Amino acid sequence: MKPGRWLVAGFAAALAAWPTYLLAEDFPTKLVRIVVPQTAGGATDTFARSIGQKLSERWKQPVVIENRAGAGGVIGTEAVAKAPADGYTLLVTYEGSQAINPSLYENLPFDSVKDFTPIATIAVTPFLLIVGPQIKAKSFAEFLALARADPGKLNYGSAGNGSVNHLLGEMLQVEAGIRITHVPYKGAPQAIADVIGGHVDSAFASAPSVIASVQQGLVRALAVSSGERVAISPETPTIRESGVKDFDVNPWWGIFGPAGLSPSIVAKINADVAEILRTPDFQEVLAKQGGTSLTSTPEEFASLLKKDIAKWARTVKAAGVKMN
């Protein structure tokens, strides 16, 4: 190609890319909506509101949190999948919805990978096995002994069929050789409230959603789902160290957009979130909630999602859980 044509081609390429750069430089210029596909008060809602406030301060634009719970997170997630790919409608969700639902539902109205743009991870946080005041077990070992002494008598609440809370209970039954009865709720807060009230015996609850109740003595935390103990409740042993080897569940939370979101907007949001995660005040927010920050590139996040979809598919198959 002649030098003049090289110049023309280069200029044309620069012009084609210019609107994309403008998108990143100007974004956002109006209100940003973050959809949370779970009920208010849970871990997803807690993280969404914390990161939303920080992004609003940084962007100098309002960031509104919209809870659209239902169908194990499907309703809110579908709303984002169908939203315009302009960055003004985002999804804050967690591993339980985005990575488990593809195995639970035969006819999801979206594809968890193809219909979304992974933007940024926020945090990982373990789940605590809690019991109410009416349960005599003071330790995880005593809880297992009670369950083995009378199979099926003890029960556990969850955020609903197919939720992480539910599947953790199924996993524990398989790995520990016990039988406890599942009691599904329409959200984690209701399950926790009934553990506190003595209406249900136990529950797996994310650290952010239950740590205040533990610290106030309303419930007792018998074990933590992660492979290592957590700073927010260092006296609580892991399930693994309590004899159920290889038990290690530490779900992630992150931000997605609709498929086709501009790479420049993705890069901007990712960079802004990464900077927020590094600030001491946000680290303190996470620590108080029992979470640990998780920074990743959009590409790393996409790989993590695919890996966890495969991981949970094996668990769902083993548990024999299916949703309509």
Side-chain angles (χ1 to χ4, degrees):
M1 184 181 291
K2 294 182 179 180
R5 292 182 179 178
W6 275 111
L7 184 61
V8 171
F11 183 68
L15 282 177
W18 182 246
T20 300
Y21 288 119
L22 280 179
L23 281 174
E25 183 179 343
D26 293 345
F27 178 85
T29 59
K30 61 181 181 180
L31 179 148
V32 175
R33 183 171 60 117
I34 291 180
V35 175
V36 174
Q38 277 82 37
T39 55
T44 309
D45 181 68
T46 298
F47 287 136
R49 291 182 187 280
S50 297
I51 201 74
Q53 178 184 349
K54 294 296 182 181
L55 287 173
S56 179
E57 293 169 359
R58 189 176 187 84
W59 291 341
K60 295 180 172 49
Q61 293 290 345
V63 176
V64 176
I65 307 302
E66 180 180 326
N67 295 90
R68 299 194 65 175
V74 172
I75 292 175
T77 306
E78 180 184 9
V80 176
K82 294 180 177 179
D86 55 9
Y88 289 96
T89 300
L90 303 173
L91 174 73
V92 168
T93 189
Y94 80 124
E95 186 176 324
S97 291
Q98 205 72 10
I100 293 178
N101 282 346
S103 299
L104 285 175
Y105 294 88
E106 294 182 359
N107 298 304
L108 272 182
F110 53 80
D111 186 297
S112 288
V113 174
K114 295 179 181 178
D115 292 336
F116 297 89
T117 301
I119 298 174
T121 46
I122 299 171
V124 291
T125 186
F127 280 60
L128 298 172
L129 174 63
I130 59 170
V131 295
Q134 81 281 10
I135 299 301
K136 296 180 179 179
K138 303 297 183 184
S139 69
F140 181 65
E142 291 179 4
F143 179 84
L144 293 182
L146 283 177
R148 288 170 179 146
D150 198 347
K153 182 178 180 180
L154 284 178
N155 56 36
Y156 72 102
S158 80
N161 288 318
S163 64
V164 168
N165 322 67
H166 173 203
L167 292 178
L168 279 169
E170 296 290 340
M171 191 182 296
L172 179 61
Q173 292 185 78
V174 171
E175 297 296 329
I178 62 173
R179 185 155 59 85
I180 52 180
T181 301
H182 177 224
V183 182
Y185 287 79
K186 292 184 178 181
Q190 296 96 316
I192 294 168
D194 270 7
V195 174
I196 293 172
H199 305 299
V200 66
D201 299 325
S202 63
F204 275 102
S206 63
S209 65
V210 79
I211 194 60
S213 297
V214 172
Q215 293 170 340
Q216 293 166 19
L218 300 176
V219 295
R220 295 193 304 280
L222 300 185
V224 62
S225 67
S226 54
E228 304 293 333
R229 294 194 184 199
V230 291
I232 194 71
S233 188
E235 71 284 356
T236 305
T238 68
I239 291 175
R240 185 166 67 182
E241 74 180 78
S242 302
V244 185
K245 62 180 182 179
D246 300 327
F247 201 106
D248 183 2
V249 179
N250 201 24
W252 48 258
W253 274 256
I255 304 174
F256 292 84
L261 189 57
S262 164
S264 63
I265 291 179
V266 172
K268 175 177 174 53
I269 299 174
N270 181 277
D272 289 343
V273 169
E275 288 195 22
I276 290 170
L277 295 183
R278 287 192 290 267
T279 60
D281 58 337
F282 199 82
Q283 289 284 330
E284 184 178 353
V285 168
L286 291 177
K288 287 181 179 179
Q289 298 295 334
T292 304
S293 62
L294 178 63
T295 303
S296 67
T297 65
E299 294 75 20
E300 289 169 340
F301 191 13
S303 296
L304 178 63
L305 172 62
K306 292 175 183 177
K307 182 191 74 174
D308 285 336
I309 286 175
K311 176 189 75 176
W312 284 108
R314 293 189 294 269
T315 300
V316 169
K317 182 177 181 181
V321 181
K322 276 292 180 184
M323 308 291 292
N324 294 325

